Amino acid sequence: MTTEIFNKQKTIDLRKQHIGPSCKVFFSHDPIKIMRARGQYMYNEKGERYLDCINNVAHVGHCHQEVVQAGAKQMELLNTNSRFLHDNLVQYAQRLQATLPEQLSVCYFTNSGSEANDLALRLARQYTGHKDIITLDNAYHGHVSSLIDISPYKFHQLGECEQNQHVHVAPSPDIYRGKYREDHADPATAYADDVKDIIEKAHAKRHKIAAFIAESLQSCGGQVIPPVGYFQKVAQHVRKAGGVFIADEVQVGFGRVGTHFWAFQLQGEDFIPDIVTMGKPIGNGHPVSCVVTTRAVAEAFMSSGMEYFNTFAGNPVSCAIGLAVLDVIEKEDLQGNALRVGRYLMDLLEKLKERHPLVGDIRGCGLFVGAELVKDRLKRTPATAEAQDVIYRLKDQRILLSADGPHRNVLKFKPPLCFSREDADLAVEKIDQILTDLENALGLPVSDHLNAQNKRKEPVEENGHGVPSGGSHHITKTNKRRRT
Amino acid sequence: MTTEIFNKQKTIDLRKQHIGPSCKVFFSHDPIKIMRARGQYMYNEKGERYLDCINNVAHVGHCHQEVVQAGAKQMELLNTNSRFLHDNLVQYAQRLQATLPEQLSVCYFTNSGSEANDLALRLARQYTGHKDIITLDNAYHGHVSSLIDISPYKFHQLGECEQNQHVHVAPSPDIYRGKYREDHADPATAYADDVKDIIEKAHAKRHKIAAFIAESLQSCGGQVIPPVGYFQKVAQHVRKAGGVFIADEVQVGFGRVGTHFWAFQLQGEDFIPDIVTMGKPIGNGHPVSCVVTTRAVAEAFMSSGMEYFNTFAGNPVSCAIGLAVLDVIEKEDLQGNALRVGRYLMDLLEKLKERHPLVGDIRGCGLFVGAELVKDRLKRTPATAEAQDVIYRLKDQRILLSADGPHRNVLKFKPPLCFSREDADLAVEKIDQILTDLENALGLPVSDHLNAQNKRKEPVEENGHGVPSGGSHHITKTNKRRRT
């Protein structure tokens, strides 16, 4: 058992004194002090266990022994920069490449998702000779200056929001709350046409498009799953304009979506981005990230004459850890687990939706799952305060969940991939109780009403009230768009 | 003994195939494959030992056991983000703060020098409400977009060099090769007045200065040591214009300069920057970096309403490693060693200068030392090819040194701080032989001539030819500006 250096209050006081006040803690009125973690569980200073439903960085489970040992072993041997040859670097690049379509063959290692996305922009601008970037509304791509500029999720937080003139914001392809919804005949084309319009308007102002960038599934943006075919159509428009397609897989890649290793693959085999960025999960907490692109983009970047050197990136320790993470995903079939447990979790949540008027939408792929809370299912009024309430009450029961999206009303599941059915049962059971309490307090309609609402909007379950006997066939039916 | 996964040629081939061609290796015609390292020594695939005179990241020595163990131990316990309370985070912030003037009390952790410098710019711009940055010629501050813009060392590499209109380049305060030299009555004031002129010109164009940024000693810029008093005068001008002073200590801080823990302290106790950035050495190779600033700047940054969150930064593992590095510096008196061995190395190099016409200038503080090679001491013609030759021939003798600066003619010493007198002896002995060979081949004048040249430019040694009997008093006399 590990012991505290300071008691909790002293830790809080020192943090106030010495850590930038812009760096927020979870649950600021009563933050959590975590001392150790293993798998999908974290333990506070009293040894109390929390179920971690949100840590998409501890991808193969907190403190996985194999990853820890690979890191420790390499730290003892060598940790230096990539200006020396090292087998770990090339082996890791080779292994990453093997997960991707063949033409995505050239890697640049970096230390964080932000460094990766910034480099992606530099690659795109150098390759195309263009400057403008199209990003999605509510997107988050990182914290460095160039990425704040393309992250409406961040720059909307600023009072005076002076948008960079080389950045264009396209509507988020959110078919629950966005511009074109699930009742639209072809939302993929409609959303892609909006990107086409943006390109035409930019051209009219003599601006030229360097890239379209999007998370393959919007994460901070509210667990948004773009309609299948959207990326293909966008890529067509963007490439016609001389730009490239950047798929940001920092939060959603590496097997999380269950059916595929990369989330962009959900769009179909005919879609291949020009640049893919990866980060968070790939080092299971160790600062490592990567940009992968085509030979053509890489050659153009080199032709600028500017060397790319990144002090820490691609060091033998980061690569050893990265390799171990890939090994564990494979050995423990974590992608398969994400698929199976993700489907199970979706089933449970769909059942919640049948009984709880606060639940407006359930969407997800693998262990990337969102439950959008609304005060009114027809108007889809965001239940922001209620979502916060759920999060806080879960915390009291030692379950860590978060709420995100532009209205902070989407409950987000993005747990370590070792998350189990029992974990899903526990989390959903608690959410069930909390929603019941909240709805009672709000005097919200009961489930009969729900059923009527469901009839209006969606194919209905045989028994809107009932608790189906498990399996996922009925979900697959009602929720096809989420299960590519 | 560690074994190769691939033979060296296969490693090279895979690197060509899978790593971006902009990522250069040292000695590209015959790169070095390093398998392990310890202290100031690195070992190739044949077990052959290289003396490392350049790795300023492996600050306390490659693979220092105490640092490795601290990292491994914490990796087993917990590695998560800073939204949870953790003692390592606050303790590390507290320890870093203790090395700095009291008003520099608020830390933001980041993963790389680039992330730190980018954040410094964001802090400065938010605090001042201004946009423009003054940087030094030949400066290098990092590889993300915002920093390429303020790094002439990088953007001069580009063919079409479209300089950002919000960036102003001041002359490098280099009193050997710069605009005002050692024969100038007051180079500190003269260089600072150039910054003042830049501010006035910017104001005339209605631009407003957010910050002046400089490495406390220019590293890639050619081991440049600004004259004492320069930073105070610049800070005065910049603050009068509503801007802040950012001291970039990423390469030069953490005890390297010997007399002080931070290189900006060489300017005198009356100088305190508004923002200090640190990186490379602080994790001994682990990706960690930090920005420290005043409460006032931190509060202004928070008042923007934008949270600062950095996924990996400030995690318990990075902080445990950072703490261990601080412990080792203290326990092993590495700052003291940098001072002592640095002075010894300077003595040896000054003696080389007495005998070798190719050596134009020797400058340094602690284990931050430069030897500038010139073809002609009066004209100070950069001996670029010769410097490259020295580096390559040293490599053949298994000594790793680099040449940098705008003309790539400055031999740079920046070894791990455990570098010893014996290491200095070995490196300088080999350089001595190589210079003799080069000068013979070039038919350069012998040492009598040298002595005459020395008389013209500098106070002369009692015996220009002789090899003084050690100690540093005679150096202190001739080289006062370098030994603050």
Side-chain angles (χ1 to χ4, degrees), chain A residues 252-266:
Chain A
V252 297
F254 251 61
R256 174 163 298 279
V257 300
T259 49
H260 300 82
F261 197 77
W262 299 106
F264 73 78
Q265 294 169 323
L266 293 167

Side-chain angles (χ1 to χ4, degrees), chain B residues 15 31 35 45 69 80 93 110 121 138 155 160 226 234 289 306 308 333 340 352 417 484:
Chain B
R15 184 162 170 136
M35 303 294 288
E45 78 282 7
Q69 278 162 16
T80 192
T110 43
L121 298 187
N138 310 318
F155 68 64
E160 8 100 33
V234 168
S289 62
M306 197 191 281
Y308 182 75
D333 186 24
R340 290 183 296 272
L352 275 196
L417 295 196
T484 41

Side-chain angles (χ1 to χ4, degrees), chain A residues 52-339:
Chain A
D52 180 0
C53 304
I54 50 173
N55 205 320
N56 56 354
V57 174
H59 194 64
V60 301
H62 288 278
C63 302
H64 194 289
Q65 275 307 298
E66 207 164 314
V67 177
V68 169
Q69 278 161 18
K73 192 178 153 200
Q74 186 58 52
M75 280 167 74
E76 276 182 22
L77 279 176
L78 178 68
N79 187 5
T80 192
N81 66 64
S82 64
R83 279 179 174 147
F84 300 100
L85 297 174
H86 200 279
D87 289 338
N88 289 5
L89 177 76
V90 298
Q91 197 185 23
Y92 189 34
Q94 197 183 29
R95 287 280 297 277
L96 285 176
Q97 203 278 312
T99 67
L100 285 160
E102 210 179 342
Q103 56 264 60
L104 290 166
S105 63
V106 184
C107 299
Y108 299 83
F109 287 101
T110 44
N111 302 299
S112 66
S114 290
E115 284 193 1
N117 280 333
D118 180 86
L119 178 58
L121 298 187
R122 290 185 58 204
L123 289 167
R125 285 177 168 146
Q126 181 64 34
Y127 175 66
T128 62
H130 300 171
K131 203 163 179 183
D132 286 28
I133 307 290
I134 303 173
T135 186
L136 292 180
D137 203 10
N138 310 318
Y140 175 63
H141 294 291
H143 55 72
V144 300
S145 308
S146 63
L147 302 177
I148 300 284
D149 276 355
I150 62 162
S151 296
Y153 180 79
K154 293 296 279 185
F155 69 63
H156 283 164
Q157 289 174 17
L158 292 175
E160 8 101 34
C161 175
E162 187 201 331
Q163 197 181 309
N164 185 310
Q165 57 165 334
H166 294 287
V167 175
H168 312 275
V169 179
S172 167
D174 173 354
I175 60 171
Y176 177 71
R177 182 175 292 289
K179 196 170 164 187
Y180 313 109
R181 299 188 173 180
E182 69 282 351
D183 56 357
H184 189 284
D186 185 1
T189 301
Y191 279 116
D193 281 348
D194 279 354
V195 174
K196 194 178 159 206
D197 288 347
I198 285 172
I199 294 171
E200 282 164 7
K201 280 179 194 151
H203 284 176
K205 287 192 271 178
R206 294 191 183 175
H207 280 227
K208 289 177 174 175
I209 305 302
F212 171 89
I213 183 169
E215 282 189 280
S216 300
L217 307 170
Q218 270 198 317
S219 185
C220 296
Q223 307 293 88
V224 174
I225 299 168
V228 169
Y230 173 65
F231 282 1
Q232 287 89 328
K233 290 179 213 298
V234 167
Q236 211 174 355
H237 299 318
V238 169
R239 286 173 184 151
K240 201 177 155 198
V244 298
F245 192 113
I246 304 170
D248 177 346
E249 293 269 343
V250 170
Q251 298 214 44
V252 297
F254 251 61
R256 174 163 298 279
V257 300
T259 49
H260 300 82
F261 197 77
W262 299 106
F264 73 78
Q265 294 169 323
L266 293 167
Q267 292 274 317
E269 281 191 10
D270 56 332
F271 173 67
I272 300 176
D274 302 287
I275 301 174
V276 174
T277 60
M278 48 193 84
K280 290 188 194 286
I282 80 173
N284 213 47
H286 183 85
V288 57
S289 62
C290 188
V291 183
V292 187
T293 190
T294 62
R295 176 61 52 189
V297 171
E299 296 289 349
F301 190 58
M302 191 182 66
S303 74
S304 77
M306 197 191 281
E307 181 187 350
Y308 182 75
F309 177 64
N310 183 318
T311 300
F312 300 129
N315 71 68
V317 175
S318 294
C319 293
I321 288 173
L323 283 163
V325 170
L326 285 171
D327 285 342
V328 173
I329 291 174
E330 209 168 293
K331 275 191 218 171
E332 300 184 4
D333 186 24
L334 290 178
Q335 185 181 320
N337 192 63
L339 182 67

Side-chain angles (χ1 to χ4, degrees), chain A residues 14 17-19, chain B residues 89-107 109 254 261-262 265 278 290 292-295 326:
Chain A
L14 283 171
Q17 205 176 334
H18 291 305
I19 301 294
Chain B
L89 176 76
V90 297
Q91 197 185 23
Y92 189 34
Q94 197 182 31
R95 288 279 297 278
L96 286 175
Q97 204 277 313
T99 68
L100 285 159
E102 210 179 341
Q103 56 265 60
L104 291 165
S105 63
V106 184
C107 299
F109 287 101
F254 251 61
F261 197 77
W262 299 106
Q265 294 169 323
M278 48 193 84
C290 187
V292 187
T293 190
T294 62
R295 176 60 53 188
L326 285 171

Side-chain angles (χ1 to χ4, degrees), chain A residues 5 11 15 18 22 33 82 85 87 107 112 115 118 122 143 145 154 280 295 307-308 311, chain B residues 5 11 15 17-18 22 32-33 82 87 107 112 115 118 122 143 145 154 280 295 307-308 311:
Chain A
I5 302 168
T11 310
R15 184 161 169 137
H18 291 305
S22 309
K33 185 169 184 177
S82 64
L85 297 174
D87 289 338
C107 299
S112 66
E115 284 193 1
D118 180 86
R122 290 185 58 204
H143 55 72
S145 308
K154 293 296 279 185
K280 290 188 194 286
R295 176 61 52 189
E307 181 187 350
Y308 182 75
T311 300
Chain B
I5 302 169
T11 310
R15 184 162 170 136
Q17 206 176 334
H18 290 306
S22 309
I32 304 173
K33 184 170 184 177
S82 63
D87 289 337
C107 299
S112 66
E115 284 194 0
D118 180 85
R122 291 184 59 204
H143 55 71
S145 308
K154 294 298 278 187
K280 291 190 195 285
R295 176 60 53 188
E307 183 187 347
Y308 182 75
T311 300

Side-chain angles (χ1 to χ4, degrees), chain B residues 89 167 216 226 232 254 257 292 309 332 362 389 409 422 463:
Chain B
L89 176 76
V167 175
S216 300
Q232 288 88 329
F254 251 61
V257 299
V292 187
F309 177 64
E332 300 184 5
I362 300 297
D389 223 351
N409 68 321
E422 293 69 30
N463 174 1

